[in-house]
Amino acid sequence: MKLQWPLFVALLLLLPFSTLAASSTSQVLPLTQSTTGYAALIIFAIAYSLVMLEEYLQLKKSKPVLLAAGLIWAMIGYVYSQHGQIEVAQVALEHNLLEYAELLLFLLVAMTYINAMEERRLFDALQAWMVGKGFNFKSLFWITGILAFFISPIADNLTTALLMCAVVMKVAGDNTKFINLACINIVIAANAGGAFSPFGDITTLMVWQAGHVSFSEFMPLFIPSVFNYLVPAIIMSLFIPSTKPDVVHQHVELKRGARRIVGLFILTIATAVAFHAVVHFPPVIGMMMGLAYLQFFGYFLRKTLKTSLHKKAAKAIENRDDFALKRLGSVVPFDVFRRVSHAEWDTLLFFYGVVMCVGGLSLLGYLGLISEVMYTQWDPIWANVMVGILSAIVDNIPVMFAVLTMNPSMDMGNWLLVTLSAGVGGSLLSVGSAAGVALMGAAHGKYTFFGHLKWTPVIAIGYAVSIAVHLMLNGALFT
């Protein structure tokens, strides 16, 4: 799910997102041409510039957006209090905080499971398997990309990107060039894979929930999504060496409970989907319930540790396996809260800053203004194409929310087009999607904004081709 430039996000599996309570929109002050509005735009632009320069300034990306969010909402609060309408701003602020809280908890659970899999050596085992199979860098490039494309429609683009990035980091070692290209490939694949599934991206979920596209009607986007991924991937693969990773193959033994944690993660995703589909609750409720699965399983692992060690030790002594006895000495119990502490907190705080900044700009009227101009003065096809470009710069969620709020009169072909463009447009920049922002944190210093920017022209070709394919194959849906 490509969120805006927030990051770890999540799972994007399914969080409903909006930026302003509908009941208060009639009381919103017109501030797009005010000093407060211009100052907010300048503050946001400066903060965004500092985020893009993170690799050169060595400044954590959360710092500028956190400050910007505070300044923007301080100005909004002052202006609304002067007009005696502070309650309107309070409702908008609380609404954005609620949306972020859902996103935070959703991502936190997903990252906890990923860290748990890492600690149980699942990624080490996958790395060893790939090395043992003799895959070269080019093969690894395609394997991780294809897996990301087909997993993201189910697990969401953010979670999928993090999983594949963890594998790449394990296999590639210090090969920065390969890591950068592989991460770009993963971001494109995850965003493209999430574009044809209601559960693959927040924007697709929003369109589905709004009733403009039914569950089965997303499938015409499958082939355009395939082209969106394959075109830049084929070009980038030409620059991937055919050499093999400079790593030594070794046997990796999974820690106790590793496979069962994968099963619990799948069950957690299913629980989140069920909460949303059956009782129409936010999927984060299911994710938090899934965290309980992991906590109880961690309790089980701790309580049965001694028994398990005694059995394994007896078996090792019986088989005279000295190596097995040495391995038993390094066994440690599973601690779920230690896994929570290893979450990428800079990324989570960055999400907060971006969500609140964009929410403030929405209350000031800028998102609605842009959307109104696009859908009243432009052809809807060009407007929907521009939505994808804007989503790479600003964030696809508020842009899509602005489109849904205006509710322009469009045929099925155009609703699918805006779904596609908002879903894959974020691949144009590393900060354009949750997957990209997340990988900048996961592969810090190796996958960067400017490293991604070098390949933006190639990614743009895939973006244009996917739209052209949609217009040709699904032309009957345009009336």
Side-chain angles (χ1 to χ4, degrees):
M1 252 178 146
K2 152 200 157 184
L3 189 91
Q4 84 179 73
W5 12 331
L7 133 85
F8 265 58
V9 159
L11 313 187
L12 295 204
L13 210 70
L14 326 50
L15 297 167
F17 188 102
S18 58
T19 54
L20 186 63
S23 61
S24 64
T25 54
S26 61
Q27 305 175 56
V28 171
L29 298 175
L31 299 173
T32 54
Q33 298 183 16
S34 67
T35 301
T36 298
Y38 295 142
L41 286 177
I42 293 173
I43 291 172
F44 184 69
I46 294 174
Y48 180 56
S49 300
L50 292 176
V51 169
M52 292 189 293
L53 295 172
E54 177 192 14
E55 61 182 294
Y56 295 102
L57 299 177
Q58 298 299 309
L59 180 70
K60 293 290 186 180
K61 57 183 173 291
S62 62
K63 296 179 180 178
V65 291
L66 285 173
L67 180 61
L71 293 174
I72 290 173
W73 279 99
M75 292 188 298
I76 291 175
Y78 176 77
V79 172
Y80 271 80
S81 64
Q82 292 297 305
H83 287 79
Q85 298 186 36
I86 190 61
E87 293 82 5
V88 175
Q90 288 176 340
V91 170
L93 178 62
E94 291 170 359
H95 189 75
N96 280 279
L97 284 174
L98 176 61
E99 298 296 347
Y100 172 71
E102 293 182 10
L103 180 63
L104 168 68
L105 295 175
F106 197 102
L107 290 176
L108 192 60
V109 175
M111 286 189 272
T112 299
Y113 266 101
I114 291 172
N115 286 327
M117 291 182 224
E118 170 77 15
E119 189 270 341
R120 295 285 105 174
R121 306 199 69 188
L122 275 163
F123 299 129
D124 290 331
L126 182 57
Q127 173 203 12
W129 176 79
M130 288 185 173
V131 173
K133 290 293 183 180
F135 294 131
N136 56 31
F137 281 119
K138 188 160 291 189
S139 297
L140 292 169
F141 176 86
W142 282 109
I143 290 172
T144 54
I146 292 173
L147 286 176
F149 182 84
F150 284 104
I151 294 175
S152 61
I154 302 171
D156 91 65
N157 59 349
L158 176 61
T159 303
T160 300
L162 289 172
L163 288 171
M164 291 300 103
C165 178
V167 173
V168 167
M169 295 291 288
K170 286 290 184 181
V171 176
D174 295 327
N175 193 322
T176 303
K177 180 181 178 181
F178 172 74
I179 292 176
N180 185 66
L181 282 173
C183 285
I184 296 173
N185 183 53
I186 290 170
V187 169
I188 298 171
N191 289 337
F196 63 88
S197 166
F199 302 122
D201 194 323
I202 289 183
T203 53
T204 57
L205 176 68
M206 293 167 66
V207 174
W208 176 47
Q209 286 182 320
H212 295 293
V213 182
S214 68
F215 192 93
S216 60
E217 288 173 333
F218 281 97
M219 285 312 296
L221 293 178
F222 175 74
I223 295 179
S225 297
V226 170
F227 275 88
N228 179 266
Y229 164 60
L230 284 181
V231 170
I234 291 173
I235 297 174
M236 289 190 296
S237 68
L238 300 177
F239 297 86
I240 301 291
S242 297
T243 56
K244 295 182 179 180
D246 186 20
V247 293
V248 178
H249 175 56
Q250 60 179 355
H251 172 73
V252 174
E253 183 173 348
L254 295 176
K255 291 184 179 180
R256 182 167 167 257
R259 294 183 181 88
R260 282 172 286 181
I261 287 177
V262 175
L264 290 176
F265 184 53
I266 295 174
L267 179 60
T268 297
I269 295 296
T271 303
V273 172
F275 264 98
H276 173 70
V278 179
V279 295
H280 306 292
F281 282 173
V284 66
I285 304 299
M287 291 299 289
M288 292 303 292
M289 186 174 176
L291 182 61
Y293 301 159
L294 187 61
Q295 288 179 308
F296 274 103
F297 184 62
Y299 175 80
F300 168 78
L301 290 178
R302 290 194 301 273
K303 287 297 182 180
T304 59
L305 178 62
K306 290 183 179 180
T307 302
S308 177
L309 288 176
H310 288 158
K311 290 180 179 179
K312 290 182 178 180
K315 185 177 181 180
I317 293 173
E318 180 182 349
N319 297 331
R320 297 181 180 180
D321 190 344
D322 294 336
F323 182 65
L325 287 172
K326 291 180 179 178
R327 290 201 306 269
L328 292 176
S330 62
V331 173
V332 294
F334 179 78
D335 185 350
V336 66
F337 291 106
R338 182 171 296 179
R339 305 277 61 83
V340 172
S341 68
H342 288 178
E344 178 54 59
W345 287 99
D346 178 56
T347 293
L348 292 174
L349 293 175
F350 173 73
F351 268 121
Y352 166 82
V354 171
V355 168
M356 297 307 294
C357 282
V358 173
L361 294 178
S362 176
L363 182 60
L364 290 169
Y366 288 109
L367 294 181
L369 178 64
I370 294 174
S371 181
E372 184 175 357
V373 170
M374 289 170 57
Y375 284 98
T376 56
Q377 301 180 18
W378 298 3
D379 182 280
I381 291 180
W382 287 110
N384 291 331
V385 170
M386 182 56 66
V387 165
I389 297 174
L390 288 175
S391 69
I393 302 172
V394 180
D395 168 22
N396 62 340
I397 291 177
V399 172
M400 177 60 79
F401 178 72
V403 173
L404 293 173
T405 300
M406 282 198 62
N407 193 26
S409 178
M410 297 194 298
D411 50 41
M412 178 59 66
N414 269 301
W415 277 113
L416 288 176
L417 175 59
V418 73
T419 301
L420 174 69
S421 64
V424 303
S427 300
L428 294 168
L429 296 175
S430 63
V431 294
S433 69
V437 177
L439 295 202
M440 283 197 296
H444 184 71
K446 297 179 180 179
Y447 169 62
T448 63
F449 175 85
F450 287 103
H452 189 112
L453 185 64
K454 294 176 183 177
W455 294 93
T456 293
V458 172
I459 302 170
I461 295 175
Y463 179 70
V465 170
S466 65
I467 292 174
V469 170
H470 172 60
L471 294 175
M472 288 187 294
L473 294 182
N474 305 317
L477 300 176
F478 293 85
T479 57

